[in-house]
Amino acid sequence: MQLGLIGLGKMGGNMRDRLRAAGHEVVGYDPRPEVTDVDSLVSLAAALTAPRVVWVMVPSGDATRSTVQALAGVLEPGDLVIDGGNSRYTDDAPNAALLDAKGIGYLDCGVSGGIWGKDNGYGLMAGGTPEHVALAMPIFDALRPEGPREEGFAHAGPVGAGHFSKMVHNGIEYGLMQAYAEGFELLSAVDLVTDVPAVLQAWSRGTVVRSWLLDLLVLALKDDASLSKLDDYVDDSGEGRWTIEEAITHAVPLPVISAALFARFASRQDSSPAMRAVAALRQQFGGHAVRAAGPAGAPGDHAGPSSGTGSTQS
């Protein structure tokens, strides 16, 4: 099958390689001349035979919206556009309506697999009509992992369902990563456990907490057993926030995913005004010891009973 692929970064470039290895013809477009196959979207459309299928793999937000708008001007009725990036699902209906006005179809597809997808395959969640899914199925089958289709691909529902599913997937990912990270920290905090990487590796087969994320943590620890080479700043792609916003809208409790997102926010603070306030309050109501600000966090000048029984009166 023939496919136009827009965006040849870490994900898109690997997807092009995997599709070509499966025998598909891929015409890629990227602004970087060293990786692109054609020099413009007009050239991309001209290189494809109708009905064209074009996969968009660019950053979410304005970049994707502008790309879809540009494709509406160069594609023809009967063609199909697939947004495989991490777009917010609320962008899908406007994108689909824009293309539908030109007779062009639209699918949204959540894609999971990261840099390992080239060799292992990608988990795919598509939103759109059954007819459009069927048209793109040879591409989906080439990208998904080997094995039963239902274990690597889902037609999640109408337009928007694919990206909504990927949003929830990423929210769950936040919670899983945070749980592994907290377990790693607790194991590392005690003298009793002398080989933390070995413990985590022992969990990778047979235990109820085994997973690919655990395997990746074990792999990271092989290079740096204490992870001391890494800064503790953790960014977020936005999908965790979107997941929590949807949970609020639908009154669905997500305490684990919410806590995981807030932990990432905490990682970006050089110091925490909130925790300084907590320390001040503990000192005020219970006379608890506080530490003066400084690089070493040396104990401060004011200390009191640690039992919480100190008087709050002057």
Side-chain angles (χ1 to χ4, degrees):
M1 183 174 173
Q2 201 179 45
L3 179 74
L5 180 59
I6 302 172
L8 301 172
K10 286 184 288 187
M11 286 281 283
N14 283 344
M15 290 168 66
R16 177 174 63 174
D17 291 344
R18 183 174 176 86
L19 288 166
R20 286 177 173 173
H24 296 285
E25 178 186 353
V26 181
V27 181
Y29 171 70
D30 191 281
R32 296 170 298 156
E34 66 272 18
V35 299
T36 194
D37 299 319
V38 294
D39 60 5
S40 67
L41 292 183
V42 173
S43 299
L44 177 71
L48 300 173
T49 303
R52 302 168 185 84
V53 178
V54 178
W55 189 298
V56 179
M57 205 69 188
V58 302
S60 63
D62 289 340
T64 294
R65 288 189 287 267
S66 63
T67 300
V68 171
Q69 187 170 19
L71 286 172
V74 300
L75 297 181
E76 298 175 343
D79 293 344
L80 174 65
V81 172
I82 304 170
D83 175 11
N86 278 337
S87 295
R88 191 166 189 171
Y89 83 97
T90 50
D91 284 350
D92 291 317
N95 285 342
L98 173 68
L99 294 171
D100 184 65
K102 299 294 185 72
I104 302 166
Y106 179 84
L107 291 174
D108 58 284
C109 186
V111 180
S112 180
I115 60 175
W116 299 86
K118 176 181 175 180
D119 297 322
N120 298 341
Y122 301 89
L124 306 170
M125 299 139 268
T129 68
E131 294 76 17
H132 289 147
V133 169
L135 177 61
M137 190 55 73
I139 298 300
F140 293 143
D141 278 339
L143 289 173
R144 66 174 175 81
E146 295 181 5
R149 179 183 290 167
E150 61 270 19
E151 293 182 3
F153 172 83
H155 180 192
V159 165
H163 281 145
F164 191 96
S165 300
K166 179 58 163 45
M167 176 190 73
V168 175
H169 166 282
N170 282 23
I172 293 170
E173 185 180 281
Y174 278 48
L176 291 173
M177 287 193 288
Q178 186 65 26
Y180 286 129
E182 291 174 7
F184 166 75
E185 182 172 353
L186 182 55
L187 288 168
S188 302
V190 300
D191 295 331
L192 185 63
V193 180
T194 58
D195 194 340
V196 174
V199 171
L200 293 171
Q201 186 167 11
W203 292 352
S204 62
R205 288 180 180 268
T207 75
V208 296
V209 298
R210 66 189 184 276
S211 76
W212 186 38
L213 282 174
L214 178 60
D215 293 342
L216 293 176
L217 178 56
V218 170
L219 185 63
L221 292 172
K222 288 183 182 295
D223 295 331
D224 183 3
S226 64
L227 301 181
S228 59
K229 299 176 184 177
L230 299 177
D231 186 76
D232 61 358
Y233 182 103
V234 182
D235 213 336
D236 70 284
S237 64
E239 299 215 25
R241 303 181 190 213
W242 302 342
T243 303
I244 292 167
E245 289 173 10
E246 290 298 322
I248 293 170
T249 298
H250 297 284
V252 175
L254 298 184
V256 172
I257 295 174
S258 299
L261 177 63
F262 294 148
R264 294 193 183 195
F265 294 164
S267 79
R268 304 169 200 172
Q269 295 180 301
D270 293 330
S271 64
S272 171
M275 295 315 295
R276 288 200 300 272
V278 170
L281 287 168
R282 292 182 76 248
Q283 198 278 329
Q284 288 295 321
F285 75 70
H288 295 283
V290 295
R291 293 176 179 264
D301 295 331
H302 303 289
S306 61
S307 63
T309 57
S311 172
T312 59
Q313 304 299 316
S314 58

